[in-house]
Amino acid sequence: MLPSPLRSLSCFIAIAIATPVTAQGPQLQTPAPVIFLADNLDEPDQLGWCIDTLGRGFADRLQAHSCKPQGGDVQFTYSEIDGTIQSVAFPGTCMERLNNETPVFGLLQCDAQNPNQTFAYDGAAQTFSPASSPDLCIAVGDILSQAGPFSSRDLILAPCDTHPQTHLQWIVRE
C-alpha cells in the first residue's frame, strides 16, 4: 500500500487523466445561416472558425477564417437533401473537394451531378465527410495565420478517427 501522500497524488493523477478536456465554444456573432467549428480553437477574439473564401470577396478557393460578426462570405448553408454546402454571399456556388490540389476545397458553380460537391453531415459526431470518402472529415489545419484584423487556418481533409476532434467538429446553424 502506498503512503498517504502518494496515494492522494495517485488518485489525483487518475482523476485528471480520466477527466475529459472540454472544448471551449466560440462567442459566435455571425448571423445565421452559418457553419462553424464547435471549438474556438485559439481564435484570438473568441469569434470561432467559419468556412470562408480565400482573400476578400469572391474567390474560388476556401479556407477556415475567423467568423466575421457582419457575416458575408463566411455564411454557408448545408442541404441534407442533396449534401451540398452552399455560399450565402455568392448564390449558386458550392463547396467542392478539389483533387490533389492545395487548398483542398474550392467554391465553384453548383453542379448536382458533381460527386465532389456532395458531403455527409453526422449530427451526432458533428462532422462533415465527402460522400465518397466517409473515413475523411473536413477539418481546420494546425497553423493559425494573420488575415487582416482576423485569423485564418487551412481547411483540410483529415482522418476522422485519428485527427483531434477540436479540429473537425462543426455546428450547422440555419
Side-chain angles (χ1 to χ4, degrees):
M1 180 173 235
L2 293 172
S4 183
L6 288 178
R7 190 174 34 232
S8 295
L9 178 62
S10 65
C11 287
F12 172 77
I13 292 170
I15 291 170
I17 291 171
T19 303
V21 176
T22 57
Q24 179 184 345
Q27 296 173 6
L28 190 73
Q29 299 173 32
T30 307
V34 63
I35 299 171
F36 62 98
L37 201 65
D39 191 296
N40 189 61
L41 198 60
D42 299 327
E43 199 290 322
D45 295 318
Q46 308 300 309
L47 296 172
W49 297 98
C50 288
I51 299 168
D52 181 40
T53 55
L54 192 61
R56 293 178 186 239
F58 179 80
D60 63 354
R61 297 298 182 254
L62 297 173
Q63 66 183 348
H65 191 278
S66 302
C67 296
K68 299 170 189 167
Q70 73 276 14
D73 58 0
V74 297
Q75 291 179 280
F76 284 78
T77 63
Y78 174 68
S79 170
E80 290 183 18
I81 296 168
D82 62 11
T84 58
I85 298 173
Q86 297 185 28
S87 171
V88 173
F90 308 107
T93 58
C94 290
M95 183 169 168
E96 182 173 324
R97 176 184 178 183
L98 304 174
N99 292 319
N100 302 318
E101 293 185 40
T102 302
V104 179
F105 296 99
L107 184 61
L108 303 169
Q109 194 66 36
C110 293
D111 177 0
Q113 305 305 311
N114 186 342
N116 290 333
Q117 291 184 358
T118 305
F119 300 90
Y121 181 66
D122 181 337
Q126 296 181 311
T127 56
F128 279 102
S129 296
S132 61
S133 302
D135 58 322
L136 297 175
C137 284
I138 298 172
V140 298
D142 290 327
I143 299 171
L144 184 141
S145 300
Q146 193 64 35
F150 298 107
S151 299
S152 67
R153 292 175 181 265
D154 289 336
L155 197 58
I156 63 171
L157 278 175
C160 299
D161 59 349
T162 59
H163 204 70
Q165 297 296 300
T166 55
H167 288 61
L168 53 79
Q169 291 181 313
W170 298 90
I171 296 173
V172 176
R173 186 170 292 163
E174 295 297 327

